[in-house]
Short mmCIF file of all heavy atoms in Angstrom, two decimals:
data_model
loop_
_atom_site.label_atom_id
_atom_site.label_comp_id
_atom_site.label_asym_id
_atom_site.label_seq_id
_atom_site.Cartn_x
_atom_site.Cartn_y
_atom_site.Cartn_z
N SER A 224 -8.59 24.60 -15.89
CA SER A 224 -8.12 25.76 -15.15
C SER A 224 -7.20 26.68 -15.93
O SER A 224 -7.03 27.85 -15.57
CB SER A 224 -7.38 25.29 -13.89
OG SER A 224 -6.15 24.66 -14.25
N GLY A 225 -6.58 26.14 -16.99
CA GLY A 225 -5.60 26.92 -17.72
C GLY A 225 -4.24 26.96 -17.05
O GLY A 225 -3.33 27.65 -17.52
N GLN A 226 -4.08 26.21 -15.97
CA GLN A 226 -2.83 26.23 -15.22
C GLN A 226 -2.21 24.83 -15.18
O GLN A 226 -2.89 23.86 -14.86
CB GLN A 226 -3.07 26.71 -13.79
CG GLN A 226 -3.60 28.13 -13.71
CD GLN A 226 -3.80 28.58 -12.28
OE1 GLN A 226 -3.34 27.93 -11.35
NE2 GLN A 226 -4.50 29.68 -12.10
N GLY A 227 -0.93 24.77 -15.47
CA GLY A 227 -0.21 23.51 -15.37
C GLY A 227 0.29 23.30 -13.96
O GLY A 227 0.05 24.10 -13.06
N GLN A 228 1.03 22.21 -13.75
CA GLN A 228 1.59 21.91 -12.44
C GLN A 228 2.63 20.82 -12.59
O GLN A 228 2.79 20.21 -13.64
CB GLN A 228 0.52 21.51 -11.45
CG GLN A 228 -0.29 20.28 -11.87
CD GLN A 228 -1.42 19.98 -10.90
OE1 GLN A 228 -1.19 19.87 -9.70
NE2 GLN A 228 -2.63 19.85 -11.42
N VAL A 229 3.33 20.56 -11.49
CA VAL A 229 4.34 19.51 -11.46
C VAL A 229 3.73 18.22 -10.93
O VAL A 229 3.02 18.24 -9.92
CB VAL A 229 5.54 19.92 -10.58
CG1 VAL A 229 6.54 18.77 -10.47
CG2 VAL A 229 6.21 21.16 -11.15
N VAL A 230 3.97 17.12 -11.61
CA VAL A 230 3.57 15.80 -11.14
C VAL A 230 4.82 15.10 -10.63
O VAL A 230 5.72 14.77 -11.40
CB VAL A 230 2.92 14.97 -12.27
CG1 VAL A 230 2.58 13.57 -11.75
CG2 VAL A 230 1.68 15.66 -12.79
N ASP A 231 4.91 14.92 -9.32
CA ASP A 231 6.06 14.28 -8.67
C ASP A 231 5.74 12.80 -8.50
O ASP A 231 5.12 12.39 -7.53
CB ASP A 231 6.31 14.96 -7.32
CG ASP A 231 7.46 14.35 -6.53
OD1 ASP A 231 8.11 13.41 -7.03
OD2 ASP A 231 7.70 14.80 -5.39
N ALA A 232 6.14 11.99 -9.48
CA ALA A 232 5.85 10.55 -9.44
C ALA A 232 7.08 9.80 -8.94
O ALA A 232 8.07 9.66 -9.67
CB ALA A 232 5.46 10.06 -10.84
N ALA A 233 7.03 9.36 -7.70
CA ALA A 233 8.13 8.60 -7.10
C ALA A 233 7.73 7.14 -6.98
O ALA A 233 6.62 6.83 -6.57
CB ALA A 233 8.47 9.16 -5.72
N MET A 234 8.64 6.27 -7.32
CA MET A 234 8.31 4.84 -7.28
C MET A 234 8.02 4.36 -5.87
O MET A 234 7.15 3.52 -5.66
CB MET A 234 9.44 4.04 -7.92
CG MET A 234 9.42 4.09 -9.43
SD MET A 234 10.83 3.26 -10.20
CE MET A 234 11.89 4.66 -10.53
N VAL A 235 8.71 4.91 -4.87
CA VAL A 235 8.42 4.54 -3.49
C VAL A 235 6.98 4.89 -3.15
O VAL A 235 6.25 4.10 -2.54
CB VAL A 235 9.39 5.25 -2.52
CG1 VAL A 235 8.92 5.10 -1.08
CG2 VAL A 235 10.79 4.66 -2.65
N ASP A 236 6.54 6.08 -3.57
CA ASP A 236 5.16 6.50 -3.31
C ASP A 236 4.17 5.57 -4.00
O ASP A 236 3.17 5.13 -3.42
CB ASP A 236 4.92 7.92 -3.82
CG ASP A 236 5.87 8.95 -3.23
OD1 ASP A 236 6.72 8.57 -2.40
OD2 ASP A 236 5.76 10.13 -3.60
N GLY A 237 4.45 5.28 -5.28
CA GLY A 237 3.53 4.46 -6.06
C GLY A 237 3.40 3.06 -5.52
O GLY A 237 2.30 2.50 -5.47
N VAL A 238 4.52 2.47 -5.11
CA VAL A 238 4.47 1.11 -4.56
C VAL A 238 3.70 1.10 -3.25
O VAL A 238 2.94 0.17 -2.96
CB VAL A 238 5.89 0.55 -4.37
CG1 VAL A 238 5.85 -0.80 -3.66
CG2 VAL A 238 6.59 0.40 -5.72
N ALA A 239 3.87 2.15 -2.45
CA ALA A 239 3.10 2.24 -1.20
C ALA A 239 1.60 2.24 -1.49
O ALA A 239 0.82 1.56 -0.83
CB ALA A 239 3.50 3.49 -0.43
N VAL A 240 1.19 2.99 -2.51
CA VAL A 240 -0.22 3.04 -2.88
C VAL A 240 -0.71 1.66 -3.33
O VAL A 240 -1.84 1.25 -3.01
CB VAL A 240 -0.46 4.09 -3.99
CG1 VAL A 240 -1.87 3.99 -4.54
CG2 VAL A 240 -0.22 5.49 -3.44
N LEU A 241 0.12 0.94 -4.05
CA LEU A 241 -0.26 -0.41 -4.49
C LEU A 241 -0.51 -1.35 -3.32
O LEU A 241 -1.20 -2.36 -3.46
CB LEU A 241 0.83 -1.00 -5.40
CG LEU A 241 1.07 -0.31 -6.74
CD1 LEU A 241 2.23 -0.98 -7.48
CD2 LEU A 241 -0.17 -0.31 -7.60
N SER A 242 0.05 -1.00 -2.16
CA SER A 242 -0.10 -1.85 -0.97
C SER A 242 -1.31 -1.48 -0.13
O SER A 242 -1.48 -2.01 0.98
CB SER A 242 1.16 -1.73 -0.10
OG SER A 242 2.33 -2.00 -0.84
N THR A 243 -2.17 -0.59 -0.61
CA THR A 243 -3.28 -0.06 0.19
C THR A 243 -4.17 -1.17 0.77
O THR A 243 -4.52 -1.15 1.95
CB THR A 243 -4.13 0.91 -0.64
OG1 THR A 243 -3.29 1.98 -1.10
CG2 THR A 243 -5.26 1.49 0.18
N LEU A 244 -4.56 -2.13 -0.06
CA LEU A 244 -5.43 -3.21 0.42
C LEU A 244 -4.80 -3.94 1.58
O LEU A 244 -5.46 -4.23 2.59
CB LEU A 244 -5.73 -4.19 -0.71
CG LEU A 244 -6.41 -5.50 -0.29
CD1 LEU A 244 -7.82 -5.23 0.23
CD2 LEU A 244 -6.43 -6.50 -1.43
N LEU A 245 -3.52 -4.25 1.49
CA LEU A 245 -2.86 -5.03 2.52
C LEU A 245 -2.79 -4.27 3.84
O LEU A 245 -2.90 -4.87 4.91
CB LEU A 245 -1.46 -5.43 2.05
CG LEU A 245 -1.41 -6.23 0.74
CD1 LEU A 245 0.02 -6.61 0.40
CD2 LEU A 245 -2.29 -7.46 0.82
N TYR A 246 -2.61 -2.96 3.76
CA TYR A 246 -2.60 -2.17 5.00
C TYR A 246 -3.97 -2.17 5.65
O TYR A 246 -4.09 -2.16 6.88
CB TYR A 246 -2.12 -0.75 4.71
CG TYR A 246 -0.61 -0.64 4.70
CD1 TYR A 246 0.11 -0.84 3.53
CD2 TYR A 246 0.09 -0.38 5.87
CE1 TYR A 246 1.50 -0.76 3.51
CE2 TYR A 246 1.48 -0.32 5.87
CZ TYR A 246 2.18 -0.50 4.69
OH TYR A 246 3.54 -0.45 4.69
N GLY A 247 -5.01 -2.20 4.83
CA GLY A 247 -6.36 -2.31 5.38
C GLY A 247 -6.58 -3.64 6.07
O GLY A 247 -7.15 -3.71 7.16
N LEU A 248 -6.11 -4.71 5.42
CA LEU A 248 -6.23 -6.04 6.03
C LEU A 248 -5.44 -6.13 7.33
O LEU A 248 -5.86 -6.75 8.31
CB LEU A 248 -5.75 -7.11 5.05
CG LEU A 248 -6.57 -7.28 3.76
CD1 LEU A 248 -5.91 -8.31 2.85
CD2 LEU A 248 -8.01 -7.67 4.07
N ARG A 249 -4.29 -5.49 7.34
CA ARG A 249 -3.47 -5.50 8.56
C ARG A 249 -4.17 -4.77 9.69
O ARG A 249 -4.15 -5.20 10.85
CB ARG A 249 -2.11 -4.85 8.26
CG ARG A 249 -1.12 -4.91 9.41
CD ARG A 249 0.23 -4.34 8.97
NE ARG A 249 1.21 -4.45 10.05
CZ ARG A 249 1.37 -3.54 11.00
NH1 ARG A 249 0.61 -2.45 11.00
NH2 ARG A 249 2.28 -3.70 11.93
N ALA A 250 -4.82 -3.66 9.36
CA ALA A 250 -5.54 -2.90 10.38
C ALA A 250 -6.71 -3.69 10.95
O ALA A 250 -7.08 -3.53 12.12
CB ALA A 250 -6.04 -1.58 9.79
N LEU A 251 -7.27 -4.57 10.14
CA LEU A 251 -8.38 -5.42 10.60
C LEU A 251 -7.91 -6.64 11.36
O LEU A 251 -8.72 -7.40 11.89
CB LEU A 251 -9.21 -5.86 9.39
CG LEU A 251 -10.04 -4.78 8.68
CD1 LEU A 251 -10.62 -5.34 7.39
CD2 LEU A 251 -11.15 -4.27 9.59
N GLY A 252 -6.60 -6.85 11.39
CA GLY A 252 -6.07 -8.02 12.07
C GLY A 252 -6.09 -9.27 11.23
O GLY A 252 -5.82 -10.37 11.72
N ILE A 253 -6.39 -9.12 9.94
CA ILE A 253 -6.46 -10.27 9.03
C ILE A 253 -5.09 -10.60 8.46
O ILE A 253 -4.81 -11.74 8.09
CB ILE A 253 -7.47 -9.98 7.90
CG1 ILE A 253 -8.87 -9.76 8.50
CG2 ILE A 253 -7.50 -11.09 6.86
CD1 ILE A 253 -9.89 -9.32 7.47
N TRP A 254 -4.22 -9.58 8.38
CA TRP A 254 -2.89 -9.77 7.80
C TRP A 254 -1.85 -9.72 8.91
O TRP A 254 -1.77 -8.75 9.65
CB TRP A 254 -2.61 -8.68 6.77
CG TRP A 254 -1.39 -8.96 5.94
CD1 TRP A 254 -0.10 -8.63 6.23
CD2 TRP A 254 -1.34 -9.63 4.68
NE1 TRP A 254 0.75 -9.04 5.24
CE2 TRP A 254 0.01 -9.67 4.27
CE3 TRP A 254 -2.31 -10.20 3.86
CZ2 TRP A 254 0.41 -10.25 3.07
CZ3 TRP A 254 -1.90 -10.78 2.66
CH2 TRP A 254 -0.56 -10.80 2.28
N GLU A 255 -1.05 -10.76 9.02
CA GLU A 255 -0.02 -10.83 10.05
C GLU A 255 1.32 -10.37 9.50
O GLU A 255 1.58 -10.46 8.29
CB GLU A 255 0.09 -12.26 10.59
CG GLU A 255 -1.19 -12.75 11.26
CD GLU A 255 -1.05 -14.16 11.82
OE1 GLU A 255 0.05 -14.73 11.69
OE2 GLU A 255 -2.04 -14.67 12.38
N ASP A 256 2.20 -9.90 10.38
CA ASP A 256 3.48 -9.35 9.96
C ASP A 256 4.52 -10.43 9.63
O ASP A 256 5.59 -10.11 9.15
CB ASP A 256 4.04 -8.43 11.04
CG ASP A 256 3.26 -7.12 11.13
OD1 ASP A 256 2.66 -6.73 10.12
OD2 ASP A 256 3.26 -6.49 12.21
N VAL A 257 4.20 -11.69 9.90
CA VAL A 257 5.13 -12.78 9.58
C VAL A 257 4.91 -13.19 8.12
O VAL A 257 3.86 -13.73 7.77
CB VAL A 257 4.91 -13.99 10.50
CG1 VAL A 257 5.88 -15.12 10.13
CG2 VAL A 257 5.09 -13.58 11.95
N PRO A 258 5.86 -12.92 7.22
CA PRO A 258 5.69 -13.27 5.81
C PRO A 258 5.48 -14.76 5.61
O PRO A 258 6.01 -15.59 6.35
CB PRO A 258 7.00 -12.81 5.16
CG PRO A 258 7.55 -11.78 6.10
CD PRO A 258 7.15 -12.24 7.46
N GLY A 259 4.67 -15.10 4.61
CA GLY A 259 4.44 -16.50 4.28
C GLY A 259 3.41 -17.18 5.15
O GLY A 259 3.29 -18.40 5.12
N THR A 260 2.65 -16.39 5.91
CA THR A 260 1.61 -16.98 6.77
C THR A 260 0.23 -16.44 6.43
O THR A 260 -0.75 -16.81 7.11
CB THR A 260 1.90 -16.68 8.25
OG1 THR A 260 1.84 -15.26 8.48
CG2 THR A 260 3.27 -17.20 8.66
N ASN A 261 0.13 -15.60 5.41
CA ASN A 261 -1.14 -14.95 5.09
C ASN A 261 -1.76 -15.52 3.83
O ASN A 261 -1.16 -16.31 3.11
CB ASN A 261 -0.91 -13.45 4.94
CG ASN A 261 -0.40 -12.82 6.22
OD1 ASN A 261 -1.13 -12.67 7.19
ND2 ASN A 261 0.88 -12.47 6.23
N MET A 262 -2.97 -15.05 3.53
CA MET A 262 -3.72 -15.67 2.44
C MET A 262 -3.19 -15.33 1.05
O MET A 262 -3.47 -16.06 0.10
CB MET A 262 -5.19 -15.27 2.53
CG MET A 262 -5.45 -13.78 2.44
SD MET A 262 -7.22 -13.44 2.63
CE MET A 262 -7.24 -11.65 2.58
N LEU A 263 -2.39 -14.26 0.91
CA LEU A 263 -1.92 -13.89 -0.41
C LEU A 263 -0.40 -13.96 -0.56
O LEU A 263 0.13 -13.54 -1.59
CB LEU A 263 -2.39 -12.46 -0.75
CG LEU A 263 -3.89 -12.20 -0.75
CD1 LEU A 263 -4.18 -10.73 -1.03
CD2 LEU A 263 -4.60 -13.09 -1.77
#
């Protein structure tokens, strides 16, 4: 494009993205909110 831009890389944002799979499992009812009771 010939145009630059700002990349706003926040660690909170990035860690949230890393959790994408788990949020999908939670939506399916496979992942429970009680830590230490799930498959991973």
Side-chain angles (χ1 to χ4, degrees):
S224 69
Q226 298 181 13
Q228 59 185 307
V229 175
V230 177
D231 178 2
M234 283 175 261
V235 168
D236 303 0
V238 174
V240 171
L241 295 177
S242 306
T243 301
L244 169 67
L245 303 182
Y246 276 90
L248 295 176
R249 185 175 183 273
L251 290 171
I253 298 174
W254 191 273
E255 298 181 1
D256 288 335
V257 179
T260 64
N261 299 288
M262 60 182 177
L263 301 177

